[in-house]
Amino acid sequence: MIPRHSARVASALKATAPRPSHALYATIRGSRTPQEPPEDAVPHENDFILSILRTNPSLRDARAYLASFGLRPETQPSSNPPPKVPQPTLITDPTLPQPAPLLAKPSPVIESILDPVYRRTALVKIQGPFTDIQLDSICRGLVYLEKLGLVSVIVVENDDRPRGDEDERSTIIDEVMRVVTNLEKKGSRARPVVGAVVRLGPKPDDVASPEPDLEPPETHTVPSDLIAIRSALSAGEIPVIAPFALDSFCRSVRVDANDVIAGLARGMVEASALQKSSRAAAEDGHLAFSSEVDLTPLRLMIIDRNGGVPSYARSGYPHLLINLTSEYHHIHDTFDPRWAHTNPSSLSNLALARTCLAYMPATSSAIMVSHKSPSSLIGNLITNKPAVSSSLPHALLQGNRSLTPHTPTLIRRGLPIQVLRSVADIDRVKMDRLLEQSFGRTLDADSFYARLEASLDFVVVAGDYAGAAIVTNEQSAHGAPPISYLDKFAVLPSHQGDGTVDFLWVALHDESYGLGHPFSANPNGGKGGVGEGRDLVWRSRSNNPVNKWYFERSTGHVRMGAWVLFWCDAEKRLKIEEGRRGSAGLSYVEDWEQGRLSDWGDIVLKIPSSWK
């Protein structure tokens, strides 16, 4: 049965999907009359709707999608409204012809119905070669994205044709035309761009890179270089670009597609900023809809034959979600040399994502996906989340049949992660702001920090206190060892939905119940995976809407009146015991687990409130 919210999202997305408007745009490639594609080449509507429903978007996902592609914010009305035009008197003599009534200007609601989607762009790298069947699957996914308002700016690459080949130029152009032809067979409109759209070398008068250790792109653009892309987008066409660049002698030479995409990412962001600053504000309070596409790339999509970046934590299966800020160098350090043969372009594509996301908006993301997972592109667009959450229990991820070598990798700019061991290291002003905004309550700061002084184990902080997980040691009344208690898990509302929650929980796992496993050796400034894991316990109000998320990540839970007690078992201890018993497996309740729930309940329910 389809969840109600999924049906509403599908209905909303279907209502906002742009309708084919072949007659509205004229192509500059010629005066040919656009022809309707063959009936058997048009993507089936049912397939499109099912692709949306498979993403299982939440209400938050739907709101985020509509914030990017739905109605534009209404402009402020002019301080000097135009004078009212007197209405003509209607002729009442029925024997005389009646004048046509004056048509009123459509209201903003009607305007939104006529043109409901705010179109955005995605930079797409199609890294072939691909067979006709594989390319058909890729192009179908890109056409679906266009229906949802995301227009692809495609750069084509062919790994089988190394640079320097005698006929490389004609081969690349042939690949571009294959993509154009396939897109048009799917009912879309596409335009080949075989002229250079970037220039080799650093940008003149370039300032420092946006990040200290990030090298600027090898290419750059000037506004006139983007004319071909703007023209195609304005004509309702998908630009398909050959990887050529102008050298210092103004010759068009073939370069790596990554250099073209990196230069375009920066150039399109800068061009969009100039466009927005020079655009006049709409008057008389009506929404200003136009066919102009926002050049700022909302997504970077890298489509090849291998998929995501292999992970040391998943025996070579791909990373699900990457925090570039804290994990980029660690991924390089843990990259198995054998993967250089099975996934030869993983690290170079990861570097491309890092460069592009440094210039793109903070809400943007990159996805590395194989040709076998085209529906993942729709899931990424609507939810901006990985195919499977990286914060789920590791045992569940290992046994998840949906994880394959072709599972996509979602990449976010992310935030630095640090682990604090002393209350003195906590920035109390920022922590107070985080906790109060996250929980919507006023913190009793004096008693809260006094309790932390006596019981703090560690604090995981994401970014500049965009999120935090506070873990304490709580003493048992029965002489048992102290329990590891998750006192607070908080993320600023502005960072909910951008991956911070998953980044924070993974770091919490690696510092508590996941300790002792090699895959817990993440570079978060903590113990580096070395040590013995401990059971992690926490409580939540029974009516807390976050409980569904907790249910999925905990080992178990038990209801205690107005509270729900959650716990995560120490993974290494269970793994060792399971290995000793072989096929016998673990019992429902182990010896060391006898009576622990009542003990945890006694401790947890007595912890005082932190709020006024």
Side-chain angles (χ1 to χ4, degrees):
M1 182 176 180
I2 299 174
R4 292 184 179 180
H5 71 269
S6 296
R8 289 199 299 269
V9 171
S11 177
L13 296 181
K14 184 176 180 181
T16 58
R19 294 159 299 284
S21 51
H22 297 289
L24 296 181
Y25 303 107
T27 174
I28 67 170
R29 293 185 299 183
S31 57
R32 59 177 170 85
T33 302
Q35 296 181 352
E36 293 295 332
E39 183 177 353
D40 59 351
V42 179
H44 295 291
E45 191 69 19
N46 289 343
D47 186 26
F48 175 54
I49 297 301
L50 286 174
S51 297
I52 296 175
L53 294 179
R54 288 190 193 103
T55 67
N56 193 25
S58 65
L59 289 178
R60 176 182 292 171
D61 297 333
R63 293 191 189 103
Y65 167 81
L66 293 175
S68 296
F69 296 92
L71 297 178
R72 300 183 188 184
E74 186 172 351
T75 56
Q76 294 296 326
S78 172
S79 57
N80 297 318
K84 293 184 178 180
V85 179
Q87 298 295 323
T89 304
L90 294 178
I91 301 175
T92 58
D93 189 344
T95 63
L96 298 177
Q98 300 296 316
L102 295 178
L103 296 177
K105 186 172 182 179
S107 69
V109 175
I110 298 300
E111 289 178 349
S112 68
I113 294 174
L114 294 176
D115 190 2
V117 172
Y118 182 33
R119 298 191 298 159
R120 309 292 294 271
T121 57
L123 277 169
V124 180
K125 176 187 176 185
I126 297 182
Q127 185 175 349
F130 293 109
T131 65
D132 291 340
I133 295 177
Q134 293 168 348
L135 189 59
D136 180 87
S137 175
I138 293 169
C139 291
R140 182 181 295 112
L142 298 181
V143 170
Y144 285 175
L145 291 180
E146 187 183 22
K147 287 186 175 184
L148 293 171
L150 190 70
V151 186
S152 301
V153 177
I154 302 171
V155 179
V156 178
E157 183 63 284
N158 188 332
D159 289 341
D160 281 357
R161 290 289 180 174
R163 280 187 284 169
D165 278 6
E166 182 178 354
D167 59 344
E168 65 174 350
R169 188 174 188 88
S170 61
T171 301
I172 290 297
I173 293 176
D174 288 344
E175 285 295 306
V176 168
M177 294 309 300
R178 281 185 69 215
V179 175
V180 169
T181 302
N182 205 305
L183 288 170
E184 295 196 334
K185 284 182 179 179
K186 298 291 179 298
S188 186
R189 301 184 65 190
R191 179 187 300 186
V193 179
V194 297
V197 294
V198 296
R199 302 167 184 245
L200 284 175
K203 191 169 185 177
D205 305 324
D206 209 352
V207 196
S209 176
E211 296 182 13
D213 60 340
L214 181 68
E215 293 294 329
E218 296 288 336
T219 60
H220 68 280
T221 68
V222 297
S224 60
D225 295 329
L226 302 177
I227 290 177
I229 295 176
R230 284 184 182 276
S231 175
L233 295 175
S234 297
E237 299 172 329
I238 296 176
V240 184
I241 303 167
F244 299 141
L246 288 178
D247 64 9
S248 57
F249 296 99
C250 291
R251 297 174 302 188
S252 177
V253 298
R254 183 188 173 192
V255 296
D256 193 292
N258 286 9
D259 292 331
V260 176
I261 293 176
L264 282 177
R266 179 180 182 181
M268 291 169 66
V269 169
E270 293 173 346
S272 179
L274 289 175
Q275 181 184 21
K276 291 176 181 178
S277 64
S278 61
R279 182 182 300 158
E283 296 183 352
D284 66 24
H286 284 268
L287 298 177
F289 290 96
S290 72
S291 61
E292 193 78 22
V293 180
D294 188 347
L295 278 183
T296 304
L298 191 69
R299 298 284 191 275
L300 170 66
M301 298 178 174
I302 302 170
I303 307 172
D304 64 7
R305 291 167 293 179
N306 301 310
V309 183
S311 169
Y312 65 95
R314 308 196 204 290
S315 303
Y317 274 25
H319 283 270
L320 298 173
L321 178 64
I322 292 178
N323 179 348
L324 283 174
T325 302
S326 66
E327 297 179 45
Y328 179 76
H329 296 292
H330 186 67
I331 290 174
H332 276 262
D333 295 340
T334 56
F335 195 82
D336 193 315
R338 293 173 295 180
W339 298 336
H341 302 286
T342 58
N343 297 70
S345 58
S346 289
L347 294 183
S348 61
N349 285 333
L350 182 65
L352 171 65
R354 184 171 181 245
T355 300
C356 292
L357 291 177
Y359 294 99
M360 293 162 64
T363 55
S364 300
S365 64
I367 184 171
M368 294 173 59
V369 60
S370 86
H371 62 277
K372 295 186 177 182
S373 305
S375 60
S376 299
L377 301 178
I378 290 180
N380 171 251
L381 172 63
I382 297 176
T383 68
N384 207 8
K385 295 177 182 177
V388 182
S389 174
S390 59
S391 60
L392 289 172
H394 191 77
L396 179 60
L397 290 176
Q398 290 293 80
N400 194 324
R401 293 184 179 180
S402 64
L403 293 185
T404 71
H406 295 277
T407 300
T409 295
L410 183 67
I411 305 169
R412 305 296 295 254
R413 188 187 304 176
L415 298 167
I417 303 291
Q418 58 176 326
V419 178
L420 309 178
R421 301 285 174 185
S422 169
V423 178
D425 296 330
I426 300 176
D427 187 320
R428 297 194 180 190
V429 174
K430 294 179 179 179
M431 180 64 79
D432 293 355
R433 177 178 62 91
L434 165 62
L435 296 179
E436 292 184 350
Q437 288 190 20
S438 178
F439 288 91
R441 305 177 68 179
T442 302
L443 184 70
D444 186 356
D446 291 339
S447 62
F448 176 69
Y449 288 108
R451 199 172 75 80
L452 291 188
E453 289 283 0
S455 61
L456 179 67
D457 188 359
F458 64 88
V459 181
V460 181
V461 178
D464 190 19
Y465 287 81
I470 301 175
V471 177
T472 60
N473 289 312
E474 302 296 334
Q475 298 299 324
S476 171
H478 306 290
I483 68 170
S484 186
Y485 176 69
L486 177 59
D487 188 276
K488 293 288 183 293
F489 186 84
V491 175
L492 286 176
S494 58
H495 283 269
Q496 293 175 6
D498 68 355
T500 300
V501 172
D502 279 338
F503 295 144
L504 189 62
W505 191 271
V506 169
L508 170 66
H509 162 275
D510 295 346
E511 292 300 312
S512 56
Y513 63 97
L515 274 178
H517 283 306
F519 52 76
S520 295
N522 288 323
N524 52 29
K527 295 183 178 180
V530 179
E532 294 295 326
R534 300 168 57 196
D535 299 335
L536 182 69
V537 181
W538 70 98
R539 70 182 184 186
S540 176
R541 291 282 182 184
S542 58
N543 59 352
N544 188 345
V546 183
N547 286 346
K548 178 180 182 298
W549 195 83
Y550 285 150
F551 290 145
E552 295 171 345
R553 281 149 187 81
S554 63
T555 303
H557 70 278
V558 61
R559 297 186 180 273
M560 294 183 171
W563 297 95
V564 180
L565 173 70
F566 294 94
W567 72 90
C568 288
D569 287 321
E571 293 179 339
K572 181 181 177 182
R573 183 173 61 218
L574 290 180
K575 192 71 175 178
I576 293 175
E577 190 63 29
E578 188 177 24
R580 288 173 180 168
R581 300 184 187 181
S583 59
L586 297 173
S587 61
Y588 187 73
V589 177
E590 294 297 319
D591 292 339
W592 68 80
E593 296 174 340
Q594 296 288 343
R596 67 174 185 170
L597 290 183
S598 59
D599 189 30
W600 289 347
D602 291 341
I603 299 172
V604 167
L605 294 181
K606 293 178 182 178
I607 295 176
S609 172
S610 306
W611 313 107
K612 290 184 178 179

